[in-house]
Amino acid sequence: MELTGAEVIIECLKAEGIDYVFGYPGGAVLHIYDAFYKQDDVQHILVRHEQGATHAADGYARATGKPGVVLVTSGPGATNAVTGIATAYMDSIPMIVITGQVPKHLIGNDAFQEVDSVGITRPIVKHNFLINDVNDIAETFKKAFYVATTGRPGPVVIDIPKDITAEKVAFEYPSEIEMRSYHPASNTDHSQMKAAIELILKAERPMIYTGGGVIIGNGSEQLHTFVRSLGFPITQTLMGLGAFPASDSLSVGMLGMHGTYEANMSMHHCDVLIAIGARFDDRVTGALEKFCPTAKIIHMDVDPASISKNVTVDFAIVGEVTEVLDEMNALLGPATNQINKGAIEKWWAQINDWRAQDCLKYDRESEIIKPQFVIEELHKVTNGDAYITSDVGQHQMFTAQYYGFDKPRRWINSGGLGTMGFGLPAAMGVKLAFPDEEVACITGESSIQMCTQELSTCKQYGLPLKVINLNNGYMGMVRQWQEFFYEKRYAMSYFDALPDFVMLAESYGHVGIKVEKSCDVRPALEEAFKQKDRLVFLDFITDREENVYPMIPAGAGLNEMILV
């Protein structure tokens, strides 16, 4: 039986096991929307802005490990999706973005709502396709999902002219695909691995440094075995939090610009650095010329392009994190008795001295609400087991520092691009994936206004999220930088016309609670999480001048932190 191109698209999504598509209709994709209307297997979630669609699909993908799917129209629909595509690209998140395009004969004619979606998105996707023939739809979708989910994952754009979605074709979905130009790298050099093992066993001041690649590659179980068999200290990036439990004594917390004193000092003074699924981002390394000056570096990553990209390494091990760590654990098993235990005990003594600095202390007795206190109370109320999304800024850093993630895929945030507006729509995607789990979006009064309209989507689909708004009346991180480095010239970092967030939430049909005293923080959180069927927006009025510490200034090394 022949199907229209639009119906073929739906069948492709069914074949890939897609449950949800996040999107917004427009003229170029109306044939596809009509095909959605005629079936019930794949549910379409109508967002209120295309950026919200991409972030929701992104949150769904981060929480589940499955690819998120987006559908937007041509022109402004596609350009509105660009920020979300870039967000997913920077953090290696698998996503399929279907963009409508004007009919083939109008491409290049500056037709109504025409943009070069392929050209615009080329720098921010793993790959993109422009379909020119209805016969190519099924094979293209198979390729797109394969590219998006294998190797180092990432977003893939499929641009489809409107007329192709109306043409008919016999449907057959490929069972497998072969791409001459794409072969995910997996060329582990076993001699490098054995040499790395020898170095690890001789280490006197070792550090294990892990990133989001461990979570994306589902390598947490193997990581636990690796770390505990060695007994070495481990630090995790912002994107890697939860791959190894924060509550474990071997964890020294997050590293980098707002990392802990013990993590950054341990990195600076280590003699062997074992990097796993991390890309040596500038927010992690500080000044490159000052990074780990005495360390031999071992780097394990699925992407060979990441090896020695920012920091030259001594040993490179390329492959899927589960496979690499399984082999490393097998090699280490009988050899761990060769570890220099005396040196490691001395190293731990030094690390515990750095821990004693208590770099995350703050005034817990303050009557004015401290944002750190809200996060700590949230951890208690949720038993540290909620899915937490965040926007970007001080609240994001406070959450990373104080929530204490013990499980992977529970911490959903925009790390590489730092996208304000990410938190609320990402939480929608997480809640749709896990309707019986608690999902909280931690945001600020600036970030939440980027995608506030998605409160309407939450109402339509009955998504009982908990929004934790840490409201200090400023773009907090911008204000902090202006305080430190611009002599307190607070240029355009404050807000003179904030909405009443309680009334705003209620106008969308949700529950709003304003909290102004520290003593009311815990009761408000408990009340919010009792309301299982309602979205609750908690507006916490926090200390306007609280800063995120520690902080490494631009151009400084990991050992040059501002602590107070």
Side-chain angles (χ1 to χ4, degrees), residues 199-252:
L199 182 63
I200 289 169
L201 295 174
K202 294 176 183 177
E204 296 184 355
R205 301 185 310 279
M207 275 296 293
I208 299 170
Y209 148 55
T210 65
V214 177
I215 294 175
I216 293 166
N218 298 311
S220 294
E221 182 179 343
Q222 289 83 355
L223 179 65
H224 292 185
T225 301
F226 183 74
V227 176
R228 291 185 175 123
S229 67
L230 291 169
F232 291 175
I234 177 173
T235 182
Q236 299 174 88
T237 67
L238 177 71
M239 298 307 301
L241 296 178
F244 189 83
S247 59
D248 194 291
S249 62
L250 296 176
S251 173
V252 295

Side-chain angles (χ1 to χ4, degrees), residues 1-9 28 31-32 35 102-105 131-138 160-171:
M1 183 176 66
E2 288 193 334
L3 303 176
T4 65
E7 291 167 338
V8 168
I9 291 170
H31 294 318
I32 304 174
V102 299
K104 283 189 299 180
H105 70 279
I131 297 179
N132 288 307
D133 189 323
V134 69
N135 293 286
D136 296 336
I137 292 177
I160 308 179
K162 182 175 182 178
D163 52 329
I164 287 177
T165 62
E167 296 172 4
K168 289 197 170 184
V169 67
F171 172 70

Side-chain angles (χ1 to χ4, degrees), residues 10 52-53 57 112 120 163 195 233 282 301 318 393 418 521 542:
I10 303 299
F112 176 67
I120 288 171
D163 52 329
D282 62 290
D301 204 282
V318 177
V521 169
T542 63

Side-chain angles (χ1 to χ4, degrees), residues 7-30:
E7 291 167 338
V8 168
I9 291 170
I10 303 299
E11 293 302 317
C12 291
L13 297 176
K14 290 180 185 178
E16 291 291 341
I18 299 304
D19 298 314
Y20 296 102
V21 171
F22 302 89
Y24 200 93
V29 288
L30 284 183

Side-chain angles (χ1 to χ4, degrees), residues 196-203 230 232 332 335-336 338-340:
I197 292 288
E198 290 181 10
L199 182 63
I200 289 169
L201 295 174
K202 294 176 183 177
L230 291 169
F232 291 175
L332 275 170
T336 52
Q338 299 177 38
I339 293 171
N340 188 339

Side-chain angles (χ1 to χ4, degrees), residues 487-500:
E487 299 178 338
K488 298 186 177 182
R489 293 188 294 274
Y490 299 133
M492 278 60 76
S493 59
Y494 55 89
F495 279 73
D496 289 331
L498 287 175
D500 182 323

Side-chain angles (χ1 to χ4, degrees), residues 423-434:
L424 177 59
M428 298 187 323
V430 176
K431 190 64 176 178
L432 284 163
F434 300 107

Side-chain angles (χ1 to χ4, degrees), residues 75 90 103 115 132 192-193 200 204 238 265 269 309 348 356-357 363 413 417 505 564:
M90 289 290 285
V115 298
N132 288 307
Q192 288 269 300
M193 187 175 287
I200 289 169
E204 296 184 355
L238 177 71
M265 292 297 285
H269 291 283
K309 180 179 180 180
W348 270 113
Q357 293 281 336
D363 182 8
N413 77 112
L417 195 64
V564 289

